[in-house]
């Protein structure tokens, strides 16, 4: 039995589809409200709340492999519940910033979760993706309203990754031998700037989308109101303010693990154009 947590999210939903399409099972998808989700036929919808790790026990019954996204709840308790349930292998989604900014707020928290997993006694595979292509959804409201997209560091190019590529690597790690005890840094196939991302979305929509670069101070004020000042600083550092060669590096890990080239941002924009209409 494989349990996919975050089963309605960008990575989890793609992972369930890949596993189901290949006839891999039995499968469970974890959600907070099983009555409201529609999974592929044969995938069992189970309920659980990461903020209440004890609620995960029924979902983990009989599970041998677990797909887990870090920092959705008290990770130490979640991993202990999984261990007690008999989970043998955990594929964890962490962050590439662990190796580039290990002392930086969220990066340090991700590193702590990785260490908890490694010391849990369960087999592990750690995925460290870079910036998600789906982060562009934060511009969706502005684009739908035909407003100007405003972003800092307009011409800093990061190797943004399609969430489905993270799912593909997770699928291989969950179902094929040779991946336990490995840590994979994951990126897209090429660097892409915020300006280029907006241009790709505009091309997918078939219309112009105005774009304007704003200062770090403006961006920080907007983000801090939602996430807090420390988180805003951390995000701004790794999206342009304090990037280094490690964060800018394009890696071929996706193709090495899956045998398929990583998907470009343009493909994500085309597949998700409806979100911007």
């Amino acid at each position: 039995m494989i349990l996919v947590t975050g089963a309605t999210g960008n990575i989890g939903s793609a992972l369930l589809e890949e596993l189901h399409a290949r006839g891999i099972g039995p499968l469970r998808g974890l959600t907070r409200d099983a009555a409201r989700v529609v999974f592929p036929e044969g995938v069992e919808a189970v309920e659980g709340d990461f903020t209440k790790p004890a609620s995960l026990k029924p979902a983990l019954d009989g599970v041998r492999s677990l797909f887990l996204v870090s920092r959705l709840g008290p990770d130490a308790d979640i991993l202990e519940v999984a261990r007690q349930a008999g989970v043998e292998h955990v594929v964890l989604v962490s962050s590439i910033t662990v190796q580039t900014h290990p002392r930086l707020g969220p990066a340090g928290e991700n590193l702590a979760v990785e260490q908890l997993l490694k010391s849990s006694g369960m087999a592990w595979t750690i995925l460290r993706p870079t910036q998600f292509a789906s982060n562009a959804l934060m511009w969706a409201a502005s684009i739908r309203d035909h407003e100007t997209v405003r972003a800092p560091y307009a011409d800093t190019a990061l190797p943004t990754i399609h969430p489905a590529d993270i799912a593909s690597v997770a699928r291989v790690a969950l179902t094929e031998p040779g991946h336990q005890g490995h840590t994979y840094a994951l990126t897209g196939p090429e660097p892409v700037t915020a300006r280029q991302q907006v241009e790709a979305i505009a091309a997918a929509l078939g219309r112009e989308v105005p774009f304007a670069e704003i200062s770090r101070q403006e961006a920080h004020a907007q983000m801090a109101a939602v996430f807090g000042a420390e988180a805003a600083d951390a995000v701004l550092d790794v999206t342009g303010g304090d990037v280094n060669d490690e964060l800018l590096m394009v890696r071929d890990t996706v193709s090495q693990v899956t045998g398929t080239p990583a998907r470009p941002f343009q493909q994500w924009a085309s597949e998700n154009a409806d979100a911007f209409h």
Side-chain angles (χ1 to χ4, degrees):
M1 175 73 73
I2 297 174
L3 176 63
V4 175
T5 67
T8 60
N10 291 317
I11 306 172
S13 59
L15 175 56
L16 272 181
E17 288 180 7
E18 280 207 26
L19 291 167
H20 181 264
R22 286 166 172 76
I24 297 167
L27 298 174
R28 285 182 186 155
L30 185 74
T31 176
R32 289 194 177 196
D33 188 352
R36 297 182 61 184
V37 301
V38 179
F39 289 145
E41 185 179 353
V43 177
E44 180 186 359
V46 291
E47 292 186 355
D49 184 345
F50 277 116
T51 65
K52 302 173 182 177
S55 73
L56 304 176
K57 290 181 180 180
L60 287 164
D61 184 36
V63 169
R64 293 295 173 264
S65 298
L66 172 65
F67 172 77
L68 180 66
V69 178
S70 67
R71 300 174 54 238
L72 295 181
D75 291 290
D77 295 337
I78 292 168
L79 290 172
E80 178 58 19
V81 169
R83 187 192 65 79
Q84 291 180 2
V87 171
E88 298 171 356
H89 180 207
V90 178
V91 174
L92 177 74
V93 178
S94 181
S95 171
I96 208 166
T97 56
V98 164
Q99 66 196 63
T100 57
H101 295 76
R103 298 179 185 82
L104 190 67
E109 294 171 20
N110 279 318
L111 182 59
V113 179
E114 291 185 12
Q115 293 169 342
L116 282 171
L117 175 57
K118 290 179 179 180
S119 64
S120 70
M122 295 179 287
W124 52 269
T125 307
I126 293 170
L127 311 183
R128 291 177 173 174
T130 187
Q131 183 185 77
F132 291 10
S134 53
N135 288 357
L137 290 170
M138 64 183 160
W139 302 323
S142 295
I143 293 174
R144 285 196 300 265
D145 293 339
H146 290 249
E147 297 175 350
T148 299
V149 172
R150 303 178 186 278
Y153 308 119
D155 299 306
T156 297
L158 299 173
T160 301
I161 188 167
H162 194 309
D165 283 328
I166 305 170
S168 294
V169 174
R171 185 258 307 164
V172 173
L174 286 164
T175 62
E176 298 181 11
H179 301 283
Q180 295 183 6
H182 287 264
T183 298
Y184 294 123
L186 307 177
T187 75
E190 60 188 359
V192 57
T193 68
R195 194 187 307 276
Q196 289 169 333
Q197 290 181 40
V198 172
E199 290 172 353
I201 294 168
L205 296 175
R207 65 173 174 86
E208 291 188 5
V209 176
F211 178 88
E213 183 173 17
I214 60 175
S215 68
R216 180 187 177 107
Q217 289 72 24
E218 287 180 87
H220 187 275
Q222 295 172 8
M223 296 173 65
V226 179
F227 305 114
E230 183 179 359
D233 275 324
V235 172
L236 287 167
D237 280 343
V238 298
T239 55
D242 190 25
V243 294
N244 55 34
D245 290 344
E246 283 290 317
L247 200 58
L248 297 171
M249 184 184 301
V250 174
R251 296 168 169 84
D252 65 352
T253 318
V254 171
S255 61
Q256 289 292 324
V257 173
T258 69
T260 303
R263 301 162 173 89
F265 182 85
Q266 290 87 341
Q267 181 174 340
W268 181 90
S270 177
E271 292 170 353
N272 292 273
D274 285 350
F276 300 94
H277 279 299

